C-alpha cells in the first residue's frame, strides 16, 4: 500500500496535505523519512510514525454517537445539520449512519464507513434487535404491552413482527427487530397512545455508553466491534 493512502485512510489528512507532511519530515517509516508519497509499505509489518506517534492501520472507522434531538440521520438534508456533521472533526470520508432515527429521536447511532457491516446490520433478514426507551402521552396498560408484543397492524401490508415490551422506572422499553418508517411511533398510535420522547438504547450487542452526552461520540472499542 502507498504510504499516502495509508495515512489518508487513517484520517491524517488529504493526499495533498500528506505530501506536504512527508516533505516536512513529519512522517517516518521504520525510522526513516520517506521522500516519495508513493512509497509502498506493508501496513502489517512496517512501523509508520507521524510526529513521532505510531499509526496503527485502520481500514474502516466505527463510531458510537449519542444522537441529540434536532439533527437528521440522513447524510445530506438541505440546511438541517446531519449526524455526519457532528463527526466532521474526524475528517473521515464516506461515513454513514447504520439505520435512521427520526429528527426528534435521541440515542444510539452507529456510524461507519464499513459498507459490508452497515448492510448486515440493517438487513431485514438479520432481525437485529433495537431497544428503545419510550415515553408516552398516556399510561401503557398490560393489554397494550400484550398487543405490542404480539404484533400490530400499523397500516402496512403486514402486521409488525413479535416484539418485547416492558415497563421500567424510566418508561416503556420496546425491543423490535424491524426498522420500518416511524415504527415505534406508529406502534404506539396503534394502541391509541402517542410518543412524547424516544431514545434508542441498544442495537444488537451494542449498548449506548451512558457517559456520552447528547451530540457526543467515541470510537467503538475492539471488544464492541468483535461483538457486532
Ligand atoms: N421508530 C420511530 O418511530 N422513530 C425512530 O426514530 C426510530 C424508531
Amino acid at each position: 500500500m502507498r504510504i499516502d493512502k495509508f495515512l489518508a485512510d487513517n484520517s491524517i489528512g488529504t493526499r495533498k496535505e500528506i505530501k506536504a507532511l512527508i516533505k516536512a519530515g513529519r512522517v517516518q517509516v521504520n525510522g526513516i523519512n520517506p521522500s516519495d508519497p508513493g512509497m509502498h509499505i506493508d501496513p502489517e509489518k512496517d512501523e509508520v510514525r507521524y510526529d513521532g506517534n505510531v499509526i496503527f492501520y485502520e481500514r474502516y472507522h466505527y463510531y458510537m454517537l449519542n444522537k441529540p434531538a434536532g439533527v437528521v440521520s440522513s447524510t445530506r438534508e438541505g440546511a438541517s445539520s446531519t449526524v455526519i456533521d457532528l463527526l466532521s472533526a474526524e475528517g473521515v470520508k464516506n461515513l454513514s449512519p447504520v439505520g435512521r432515527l427520526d429528527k426528534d429521536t435521541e440515542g444510539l447511532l452507529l456510524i461507519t464507513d464499513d459498507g459490508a457491516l452497515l448492510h448486515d446490520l440493517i438487513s431485514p433478514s438479520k432481525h437485529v434487535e433495537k431497544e428503545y426507551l419510550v415515553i408516552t402521552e398516556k399510561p401503557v396498560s398490560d393489554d397494550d404491552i400484550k398487543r405490542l408484543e404480539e404484533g400490530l397492524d400499523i397500516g402496512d401490508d403486514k402486521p409488525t413482527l413479535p416484539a418485547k415490551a416492558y415497563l421500567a422506572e424510566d418508561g416503556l422499553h420496546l425491543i423490535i427487530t424491524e426498522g420500518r418508517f416511524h415504527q415505534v411511533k406508529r406502534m404506539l398510535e396503534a394502541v391509541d397512545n402517542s410518543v412524547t420522547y424516544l431514545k434508542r438504547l441498544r442495537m444488537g450487542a451494542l449498548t449506548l455508553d451512558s457517559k456520552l452526552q447528547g451530540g457526543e461520540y467515541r470510537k467503538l472499542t475492539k471488544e464492541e466491534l468483535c461483538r457486532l
Side-chain angles (χ1 to χ4, degrees), residues 9-212:
D9 280 355
N10 282 275
S11 315
I12 302 298
T14 61
R15 293 273 183 113
K16 197 172 159 206
E17 286 161 352
I18 288 162
K19 196 173 168 189
L21 293 173
I22 290 174
K23 206 167 163 211
R26 293 172 63 184
V27 175
Q28 288 187 322
V29 179
N30 302 325
I32 294 165
N33 294 115
S35 53
D36 177 10
M39 174 191 177
H40 275 81
I41 59 146
D42 181 339
E44 306 290 329
K45 293 194 186 127
D46 292 320
E47 186 197 71
V48 179
R49 285 178 186 262
Y50 165 54
D51 279 349
N53 300 313
V54 176
I55 307 292
F56 296 100
Y57 186 58
E58 279 180 27
R59 174 65 188 90
Y60 296 114
H61 305 81
Y62 307 88
Y63 302 96
M64 173 193 290
L65 168 75
N66 183 358
K67 178 192 170 301
V71 178
V72 295
S73 298
S74 56
T75 33
R76 274 278 136 251
E77 185 136 333
S80 299
S81 63
T82 74
V83 290
I84 304 302
D85 296 333
L86 295 173
L87 279 84
S88 61
E90 296 295 306
V92 179
K93 279 181 274 161
N94 303 322
L95 286 174
S96 297
V98 178
R100 302 264 168 98
L101 291 177
D102 296 338
K103 190 169 179 178
D104 56 355
T105 302
E106 300 179 4
L108 175 66
L109 203 53
L110 173 62
I111 297 187
T112 183
D113 51 0
D114 179 348
L117 179 81
L118 189 148
H119 184 264
D120 245 31
L121 288 173
I122 59 174
S123 164
S125 63
K126 297 279 158 97
H127 298 299
V128 174
E129 283 192 344
K130 272 93 45 181
E131 178 166 353
Y132 293 90
L133 167 66
V134 193
I135 308 292
T136 52
E137 195 196 337
K138 294 184 267 181
V140 175
S141 68
D142 289 347
D143 186 51
D144 296 336
I145 299 264
K146 191 164 162 270
R147 291 177 62 203
L148 291 166
E149 289 198 320
E150 279 171 359
L152 288 160
D153 178 1
I154 58 170
D156 292 341
D157 294 348
K158 289 181 186 161
T160 55
L161 286 177
K164 291 177 207 155
Y166 63 91
L167 284 167
E169 268 187 14
D170 52 356
L172 171 71
H173 285 237
L174 184 59
I175 302 162
I176 58 175
T177 57
E178 304 168 282
R180 301 192 203 178
F181 186 63
H182 294 329
Q183 179 162 345
V184 173
K185 289 173 186 164
R186 289 197 288 147
M187 286 174 78
L188 269 298
E189 273 159 27
V191 293
D192 293 321
N193 210 327
S194 70
V195 173
T196 55
Y197 175 82
L198 187 58
K199 180 174 190 175
R200 183 154 66 192
L201 303 175
R202 181 172 63 82
M203 186 168 185
L206 190 65
T207 303
L208 179 66
D209 183 338
S210 59
K211 290 195 281 301
L212 291 176

